[in-house]
Amino acid sequence: MANQKLQVQRALAVVKSDTIGIPDPAKLTVSSSATGTTTDKLVDSAGLFTTTNLVGVGDIVYNSTDGTIATVTVVDSATQLELSANIMASGENYSIYRGSTEGCILYIGTTGNLKVLTAGDDIVTYTAVAVGFFPVHVKKVFNVAGASNIIANW
C-alpha cells in the first residue's frame, strides 16, 4: 500500500479576516512598498496601479510588513488606491492579488480552535486543531482567537 504525499507548489501566510478570503497567489498583480501615508489609502508613487498591472475594485491587498489585509474599494489613480481598512503607511511592503482562492489546505503552526469557510461554503469551527497540515479545502480563515501561524498551501 503506497502512501500519498502532499506536493505543495505554492504557499502564502494567512491573514485572518471575517470579510476577506485567502487570496490566490497565482493571481498576484503587483508587489512593492508604499511611498506615502494617507488614511484608508495605498499610495505608491511608482504609478503601477493603472498603467502596468490594472488593479481593480475588489482586489486583495496584503500588507506583508505588519500582516494586515484589505480590499481595494476605489482606484483613485495610477498612484493611489482607496482601501476598505487603514492598513498602509509609508515604507510598508504590500502585495495585491486579483480575487480569492477556490480552496487550499492549511498548515497550522500553533494549535487552537479554527473557524473557516470551506470550499463548499460551509462555516465551521474546529476545536483544538493540532500543529500540522489541516486536510480541509478552505477559502477563508475567520479572525478569531485560536490557531495561528497559518500557511495556505496549493
Side-chain angles (χ1 to χ4, degrees):
M1 180 170 172
N3 289 331
Q4 286 186 325
K5 294 181 181 178
L6 178 62
Q7 301 291 324
V8 173
Q9 296 178 5
R10 302 199 70 119
L12 181 68
V14 171
V15 177
K16 295 179 178 182
S17 174
D18 293 340
T19 58
I20 303 170
I22 300 167
D24 184 342
K27 298 178 181 175
L28 176 68
T29 59
V30 62
S31 287
S32 191
S33 297
T35 59
T37 302
T38 303
T39 303
D40 294 335
K41 304 281 185 179
L42 169 51
V43 179
D44 187 341
S45 61
L48 302 173
F49 302 141
T50 60
T51 54
T52 307
N53 301 291
L54 300 176
V55 173
V57 172
D59 286 356
I60 299 170
V61 179
Y62 253 39
N63 178 327
S64 55
T65 300
D66 65 11
T68 53
I69 191 171
T71 57
V72 175
T73 57
V74 176
V75 178
D76 294 331
S77 69
T79 60
Q80 183 172 284
L81 304 173
E82 183 175 313
L83 304 179
S84 62
N86 189 30
I87 67 165
M88 296 303 306
S90 184
E92 293 183 328
N93 299 319
Y94 68 86
S95 295
I96 302 176
Y97 302 90
R98 182 159 289 123
S100 58
T101 185
E102 296 296 318
C104 59
I105 61 168
L106 305 176
Y107 178 84
I108 309 299
T110 305
T111 191
N113 294 347
L114 181 68
K115 183 178 179 181
V116 299
L117 175 66
T118 68
D121 292 325
D122 298 315
I123 297 173
V124 182
T125 300
Y126 294 90
T127 306
V129 174
V131 169
F133 284 98
F134 183 71
V136 175
H137 282 170
V138 171
K139 296 194 301 188
K140 181 188 328 180
V141 176
F142 289 87
N143 191 16
V144 295
S148 60
N149 299 312
I150 302 169
I151 304 294
N153 298 276
W154 294 264

